[in-house]
Amino acid sequence: MAFLPDASLFILLNILIGINIARSEPFIGINYGNLGDNLPSPEDTVKLLQSTSIQKIRLYSPDIPMIKALANSGIDIVVGTQNSEIPALASDPNAAKTWINTNVLPFYPASNIFLIMVGNEISLDENFRKQLLPAMQNMQNALDAGSLGGKIKVSTVHSMSVLSHSDPPSSGEFQTWLVDVMKGFLGFNNATGSPFVINPYPYYAYNSDPRPARSALNSLGYNNVEIVVTETGWPSKGDDKEPWATIDKAKD
């Protein structure tokens, strides 16, 4: 499927309860990918972002020219690791230290990296699932060693498929076979103050009416973990079985 616009929004959902309401603020950000033709320079991209109300940018991998261009811009940065890096990050603490020393320390705090995403939508992948949490822990330890543990958070991005159902939202639950794994991730989020991150798309909700549910986290006892939406959007074109994937719908 193709999505319009190419840069999708991510929003901190301010639907928290208790003390989290006081410390959480909604924001609008943009996902920035560099797989395309005739892309503007990092410097021009930053100028464009500064002319909007966009406050944060997510980089799917450490795009060093963009990280440098964002220095002193007032725009906060989310940086992701490649999924292929996870086995090394999980098995070797020095690999995590090297990653932080290469991609974060030389640019922080002028380039305000505030969140590191270890992997993207791989919590369901049997090849990565057991390695993901150790990789996150090693990244956190590397940040702690660099005196950045309280300033930069670590998390991972989940797909909506981690939920077995979510309609109505109050009945939201994780996949039964995934509950113990999700408890591990949520325990990490809770202990480090990092958010639970997920990619919901309204297009699929329009087709089948599943809705992301705060209740899934609450049912496991993690009421205080924030939820961050890192991708959302609407496809502008699909196949014959996807009649709602149109440019007009995407514009709406």
Side-chain angles (χ1 to χ4, degrees):
M1 289 185 182
F3 285 85
L4 287 179
D6 288 336
S8 53
L9 296 177
F10 66 99
I11 305 168
L12 172 64
L13 299 183
N14 194 9
I15 57 173
L16 313 175
I17 63 174
I19 191 171
N20 278 11
I21 290 179
R23 70 178 177 83
S24 299
E25 296 180 359
F27 62 75
I28 296 176
I30 193 168
N31 288 293
Y32 178 82
N34 54 12
L35 298 178
D37 298 325
N38 302 316
L39 296 176
S41 68
E43 292 76 16
D44 288 342
T45 300
V46 172
K47 289 178 182 177
L48 175 61
L49 294 178
Q50 288 177 312
S51 71
T52 72
S53 59
I54 291 171
Q55 303 163 282
K56 304 186 189 297
I57 185 170
R58 177 190 176 200
L59 308 177
Y60 289 92
S61 61
D63 185 335
I64 300 304
M66 179 59 72
I67 292 174
K68 289 180 177 179
L70 287 162
N72 303 308
S73 66
I75 298 171
D76 301 329
I77 307 167
V78 179
V79 180
T81 74
Q82 297 286 346
N83 290 346
S84 59
E85 296 178 287
I86 289 175
L89 295 173
S91 62
D92 184 3
N94 287 325
K97 289 181 180 179
T98 298
W99 199 98
I100 296 298
N101 290 341
T102 301
N103 301 308
V104 177
L105 288 178
F107 315 108
Y108 184 89
S111 297
N112 189 30
I113 299 168
F114 76 101
L115 182 60
I116 295 172
M117 298 296 188
V118 180
N120 184 58
E121 294 193 353
I122 60 168
S123 47
L124 296 176
D125 190 315
E126 186 176 357
N127 294 322
F128 287 107
R129 192 164 57 245
K130 293 181 180 180
Q131 298 173 311
L132 185 52
L133 183 57
M136 292 165 62
Q137 291 167 333
N138 282 341
M139 291 290 272
Q140 182 66 54
N141 292 337
L143 287 171
D144 292 343
S147 300
L148 296 177
K151 301 173 183 177
I152 301 176
K153 304 297 184 181
V154 176
S155 192
T156 188
V157 183
H158 302 282
S159 72
M160 279 292 290
S161 297
V162 298
L163 296 176
S164 59
H165 61 275
S166 57
D167 185 22
S170 59
S171 69
E173 292 180 346
F174 291 110
Q175 300 280 0
T176 302
W177 58 270
L178 198 60
V179 167
D180 288 341
V181 174
M182 297 309 299
K183 283 182 178 179
F185 293 137
L186 288 167
F188 176 90
N189 294 141
N190 189 57
T192 62
S194 65
F196 176 84
V197 185
I198 194 163
N199 290 340
Y201 280 90
Y203 173 78
Y204 301 113
Y206 194 83
N207 271 351
S208 57
D209 199 31
R211 287 169 282 178
R214 166 89 242 176
S215 299
L217 272 70
N218 294 352
S219 68
L220 297 185
Y222 293 100
N223 305 55
N224 292 326
V225 174
E226 296 175 333
I227 297 176
V228 169
V229 174
T230 40
E231 292 181 19
T232 188
W234 194 278
S236 57
K237 186 177 181 180
D239 59 30
D240 293 339
K241 297 179 181 180
E242 298 165 325
W244 305 114
T246 67
I247 290 178
D248 288 340
K249 290 288 186 182
K251 289 179 179 179
D252 292 340

